[in-house]
Amino acid sequence: MLVCHILKTKAPEVISVTPSQTMVEVLRLFRENNIGFVVVSRFPGQCLGTLSERDCCNAVAEYGTEAPLMRVADIMNRSVATCSTQDLLPSVMATMTKRRTRHVLVMDGNATVGVVSIGDVVKHRLDELMSNEQVLHDYIAGTGYH
């Protein structure tokens, strides 16, 4: 399965924050949108970095009580895992494993066009497995032929 097929099943919006926002503002955004990852940018499509729940936990571990008021620019991840819309799902899975990340930005040239999360990967792999199981069941039962 191609990344572009996964993006078609998701909301098209990539939620982003600015480098000047504070971690606590981002955490509120996480809660309000039931997410755990944002792109850091100054304008749509741009990516200066990313910020995840893990990045916020690491900031608290390192900076203590100062962390919630720190600017995103000071705690964001600048080494961003990316893929293209034409990459295959196993390639994205390998990137997630190698980079130890739960999110991969989908790029079209220099523009961010989406995010693939570990949840998206699991959902699509599960859908594939269930579809294969149904095909095998139909084959064994002698049904499903036209």
Side-chain angles (χ1 to χ4, degrees), residues 38-114:
V38 290
V39 174
V40 182
S41 66
R42 289 191 181 90
F43 56 84
Q46 178 192 45
C47 177
L48 300 172
T50 61
L51 192 68
S52 68
E53 291 168 318
R54 179 182 289 174
D55 297 323
C56 294
C57 288
N58 288 338
V60 169
E62 185 170 347
Y63 302 108
T65 57
E66 297 173 23
L69 298 178
M70 291 179 73
R71 301 287 172 209
V72 168
D74 298 323
I75 58 174
M76 70 182 184
N77 176 16
R78 289 178 169 81
S79 176
V80 180
T82 64
C83 67
S84 81
T85 57
Q86 297 306 302
D87 283 344
L88 292 169
L89 188 57
S91 173
V92 174
M93 293 166 63
T95 298
M96 287 179 170
T97 301
K98 182 178 179 183
R99 299 283 303 273
R100 298 190 49 78
T101 184
R102 300 172 60 85
H103 301 88
V104 175
L105 289 188
V106 183
M107 307 298 289
D108 183 10
N110 290 328
T112 304
V113 296

Side-chain angles (χ1 to χ4, degrees), residues 125-141:
R125 288 296 292 149
L126 183 59
D127 289 348
E128 285 178 343
L129 291 170
M130 291 176 71
S131 176
N132 290 343
E133 182 180 336
Q134 186 61 49
V135 167
L136 288 172
H137 181 270
D138 290 347
Y139 175 76
I140 291 167

